[in-house]
Amino acid sequence: MAYLQPFLHNLTGVFSAPVQAWADPHGQIRDSGAQGIHCGDDRVVRSAVLTVDGAEPDWVSTQVRSAQRVDYMHFVRVESQVADPLMYLTRSRTADSEGIAEQLRFESAYSFTVRQDVRLVLDADNTPMEQVKSGAAATTQLAVTSPKWNWRDQDTTALLEAPAAHIQFDGGRITLTWQVEVEPGGVVELGWRLAVTDAAAPMVAPSGSGIAVPTVEGEPLQRLLDRSVSDLNGLRMAAASRPEDTFLAAGAPWFFTMFGRDSLIAARLLLPIETSLAGSTLRALASRQGASTDPGTAEQPGKILHEVRRGTLSFTEGDAGVSLPPVYFGTIDATPLWICLLHDAWQAGLPEDQVEALLDHLEAALVWLRDHGDSDGDGFLEYKDESGHGLANQGWKDSGDSIRWHDGSLADGPIALAEVQGYAYEAALGGAALLDAFGRSGGDAWRRYAADLRERFRTAFWCTDELGRYPAIALDSSKRPVDGVTSNMGHLLGTGILDEAEAQAVAARLMDPTMFSGYGIRTVSTTNGGFWPTRYHAGSVWSHDTGMIISGLLKDGFVTQASALAAGLLRAAEGFDWRLPELFSGHASSEMWPPVPYPASCRPQAWAAASSIPIAQALGGL
């Protein structure tokens, strides 16, 4: 049976990994879509609806204070001779790594005492995240008989605390009731908290302090950085086996876990303000580096993983069934990106003892590039799912319909992505520099590898259309350049694989109106036969995609173009209340304000929030 993935664009949330809570715009958590209180990959409560004297209070304002706190302001209607709304209810919801709490604050300016019956009804749940994402309704009714219960098994515990409340249990429904008297000019505060734990979860809250917010000139840029860093701190996570090694979960709600590519890219974008996160991310992923060959999990020696879940993740993509094991290695780019981050973090000041401790992992990752990433020996990194149930596409555009010819038709794999060759080139040179600096052999061999790859890329990937030359998105199974004009070419900037003329051609194509929407770079050109502004990887704008392109433009000296993109993405952030989403519509800025959301987009998303740093760099803030 087919379901519809829930929309998120009009929801509000609080986040502190591994806990998150999603509500409607007014603060009510209703039994609908992605709404609920979640711990890791499970929804623990699917609704939490508040009433005052039998009616829902009248919402007037939502104030997002941080990733961890949202205030919902309501008016409480009271019969009197005064028309003014003189009684407020502020519902402050907060998240920390151990649970969700609410404070209910009643304030009255009436000249008489107001007596009210306040009721909160919660519905306990144990729906897995993959079922929530599919849009399917909850299928299990829990029987809760006390304030403490196990939502899935004995490893999971929920504890409800509500001082001064009368609590009733009816199956999985929990009703909290307070009798409130608010004196003239008085204030009454109530509260409740749901603590959640999962002793068997692979990912937990990290130790240590969060990321500090940089200070810049200009209110718009500062607002973006304030919100972005708050979101990033809400996404900080660690493996249960290594709580000291913090990384960034990919995003909420669907990807609240370790993702190799996402965690690496986010940490790399943050290097201008933060190096310790890069070090801990590198260690966390190195501890799970591939050691053997297993087609079922896509593990290979030296390979960096794609994602970690508590259990198997199953879903349908097109006509195919996808079933990913709890630890899945199906990614072509995480391994070269790990090497690039190690080199850049070293250059940015990561302590040498921390770098040296990772050199064995570096050598294993380099060997993977040569011996496993290039599966057919043609000198390029390519991917093809060998399991029959893994991801069909294994670059960052990992949906099944993302690799398109210019006419919109889909390319056949194995696929060799353009940007992955750039990552591999940069990784080989960065790896060589590290080997040389720490007295290890092999640097010259990896420089030769890089030089050969650069020439092969120049010969195989370039296409021409009416606007000039540009790199294809990929080579297909027949080694033909797939001629779709896409944002992938922007990731080649700054890697060194392009010469000066080639970099100029890429920069010019990206800034063309067919690619630059005014807010960011579209994933494909408007001239592509498959273009649609809200197609996931074929028309939308991804915040991190544009952020990485800004970074590459700056590295290659295209300051004017980088500034224009940064200004566009900053303008988009304003339209999303300063929280850059995972992706949004590719409609032109001249046609749409605010930007049109992609309704199932994650927010916060780690690499989207981290894109605030190249924006600040391009606009002179850092």
Side-chain angles (χ1 to χ4, degrees):
M1 185 175 181
Y3 297 100
L4 297 175
Q5 182 173 338
F7 287 167
L8 307 170
H9 65 287
N10 61 344
L11 301 186
T12 55
V14 289
F15 320 93
S16 184
V19 176
Q20 55 183 320
W22 289 82
D24 73 13
H26 304 165
Q28 300 283 34
I29 299 176
R30 304 186 189 275
D31 187 4
S32 176
Q35 295 183 49
I37 297 173
H38 306 257
C39 179
D41 277 340
D42 289 326
R43 185 171 62 191
V44 182
V45 166
R46 66 174 181 269
S47 65
V49 176
L50 182 72
T51 58
V52 179
D53 283 345
E56 295 188 22
D58 291 301
W59 170 87
V60 290
S61 179
T62 295
Q63 301 290 321
V64 180
R65 306 298 186 186
S66 69
Q68 292 79 38
R69 176 183 166 187
V70 178
D71 292 348
Y72 306 94
M73 184 178 178
H74 304 77
F75 290 142
V76 178
R77 307 295 291 273
V78 177
E79 291 186 4
S80 74
Q81 301 300 314
V82 180
D84 294 335
L86 298 181
M87 189 163 188
Y88 303 155
L89 163 59
T90 302
R91 189 176 185 182
S92 294
R93 182 172 298 135
T94 57
D96 60 38
S97 60
E98 297 178 348
I100 299 295
E102 279 192 355
Q103 181 186 57
L104 310 176
R105 179 182 174 91
F106 293 84
E107 302 175 72
S108 176
Y110 286 110
S111 59
F112 52 87
T113 299
V114 178
R115 295 176 175 83
Q116 296 167 320
D117 177 74
V118 179
R119 181 167 298 186
L120 181 72
V121 179
L122 300 94
D123 285 302
D125 195 19
N126 63 349
T127 302
M129 182 61 78
E130 64 180 284
Q131 187 174 333
V132 175
K133 187 180 182 184
S134 75
T139 56
T140 303
Q141 294 295 323
L142 291 182
V144 177
T145 58
S146 75
K148 185 176 182 179
W149 70 94
N150 307 111
W151 77 77
R152 186 186 56 242
D153 53 35
Q154 295 303 309
D155 289 321
T156 61
T157 302
L159 174 63
L160 179 65
E161 299 172 311
H166 175 66
I167 305 178
Q168 293 179 300
F169 301 94
D170 181 10
R173 176 156 292 183
I174 307 167
T175 302
L176 283 62
T177 305
W178 297 267
Q179 301 298 320
V180 174
E181 292 189 359
V182 187
E183 301 293 337
V187 174
V188 172
E189 293 185 347
L190 312 173
W192 65 275
R193 174 177 172 81
L194 183 72
V196 288
T197 59
D198 183 353
M203 303 298 157
V204 298
S207 58
S209 58
I211 303 166
V213 181
T215 300
V216 297
E217 292 186 5
E219 182 182 357
L221 193 54
Q222 189 64 61
R223 293 186 71 176
L224 172 62
L225 289 167
D226 289 345
R227 178 61 54 81
S228 297
V229 173
S230 174
D231 285 348
L232 291 166
N233 283 326
L235 294 170
R236 293 174 67 250
M237 186 175 264
S241 59
R242 301 177 66 91
E244 71 282 0
D245 285 337
T246 302
F247 59 87
L248 294 173
W254 316 127
F255 310 117
F256 225 41
T257 186
M258 174 185 281
F259 267 71
R261 175 194 308 118
D262 299 52
S263 301
L264 289 163
I265 288 175
R268 196 178 187 196
L269 290 171
L270 291 169
L271 278 175
I273 67 165
E274 168 70 52
T275 58
S276 61
L277 177 67
S280 56
T281 299
L282 289 162
R283 290 190 295 273
L285 289 167
S287 71
R288 294 171 175 265
Q289 188 173 29
S292 61
T293 299
D294 182 351
T297 65
E299 180 180 1
Q300 292 168 331
K303 193 175 186 181
I304 300 299
L305 60 77
H306 175 59
E307 67 179 289
V308 178
R309 298 279 186 176
R310 194 183 194 279
T312 299
L313 178 65
S314 299
F315 56 93
T316 300
E317 186 172 74
D319 297 327
V322 178
S323 181
L324 306 183
V327 180
Y328 180 58
F329 285 79
T331 169
I332 191 65
D333 50 13
T335 308
L337 287 169
W338 187 94
I339 299 170
C340 291
L341 178 60
L342 179 61
H343 173 265
D344 288 0
W346 170 55
Q347 292 289 293
L350 188 68
E352 293 207 346
D353 62 329
Q354 295 187 34
V355 177
E356 189 165 20
L358 292 168
L359 292 182
D360 288 345
H361 297 282
L362 165 67
E363 291 188 329
L366 285 167
V367 170
W368 179 87
L369 296 183
R370 184 191 64 211
D371 294 352
H372 299 282
D374 178 12
S375 60
D376 60 8
D378 68 342
F380 295 119
L381 272 67
E382 60 265 314
Y383 61 80
K384 183 175 178 64
D385 173 48
E386 300 291 344
S387 70
H389 55 74
L391 293 174
N393 283 316
Q394 297 183 4
W396 82 259
K397 292 179 179 177
D398 58 1
S399 59
D401 62 352
S402 62
I403 312 303
R404 294 175 179 267
W405 296 86
H406 187 65
D407 65 7
S409 59
L410 302 182
D412 295 324
I415 294 291
L417 289 169
E419 76 274 17
V420 173
Q421 315 316 313
Y423 302 157
Y425 175 85
E426 188 177 9
L429 290 183
L434 283 162
L435 294 174
D436 289 349
F438 287 87
R440 297 201 178 196
S441 62
D444 288 342
W446 288 108
R447 278 183 284 273
R448 289 193 297 271
Y449 170 95
D452 291 345
L453 176 57
R454 192 172 194 247
E455 289 307 310
R456 283 193 300 272
F457 182 87
R458 180 167 293 118
T459 299
F461 271 82
W462 283 85
C463 302
T464 302
D465 65 7
E466 67 279 4
L467 294 180
R469 298 179 71 236
Y470 65 95
I473 182 176
L475 303 182
D476 74 350
S477 58
S478 299
K479 306 303 177 184
R480 297 175 298 171
V482 181
D483 63 352
V485 178
T486 71
S487 63
N488 299 55
M489 70 177 77
H491 293 224
L492 299 169
L493 295 165
T495 65
I497 201 170
L498 305 176
D499 64 24
E500 184 176 351
E502 291 166 343
Q504 288 176 344
V506 169
R509 181 57 65 101
L510 292 170
M511 300 308 293
D512 189 86
T514 57
M515 289 298 293
F516 180 30
S517 74
Y519 294 126
I521 301 299
R522 299 181 178 98
T523 39
V524 301
S525 167
T526 56
T527 61
N528 190 282
F531 172 80
W532 186 254
T534 50
R535 199 184 292 276
Y536 194 59
H537 285 136
S540 64
V541 172
W542 284 64
S543 299
H544 90 282
D545 191 19
T546 298
M548 291 179 70
I549 291 169
I550 291 169
S551 182
L553 287 167
L554 290 173
K555 288 179 182 178
D556 281 349
F558 297 101
V559 176
T560 300
Q561 295 89 332
S563 298
L565 287 186
L569 207 50
L570 181 63
R571 178 72 168 146
E574 180 184 2
F576 291 112
D577 195 23
W578 307 107
R579 173 175 280 157
L580 280 169
E582 177 187 20
L583 69 154
F584 54 94
S585 164
H587 286 96
S589 62
S590 59
E591 300 173 359
M592 298 291 181
W593 172 258
V596 176
Y598 183 88
S601 173
C602 289
R603 52 185 186 88
Q605 184 85 352
W607 56 15
S611 296
S612 61
I613 301 306
I615 292 172
Q617 289 178 295
L619 296 177
L622 291 176

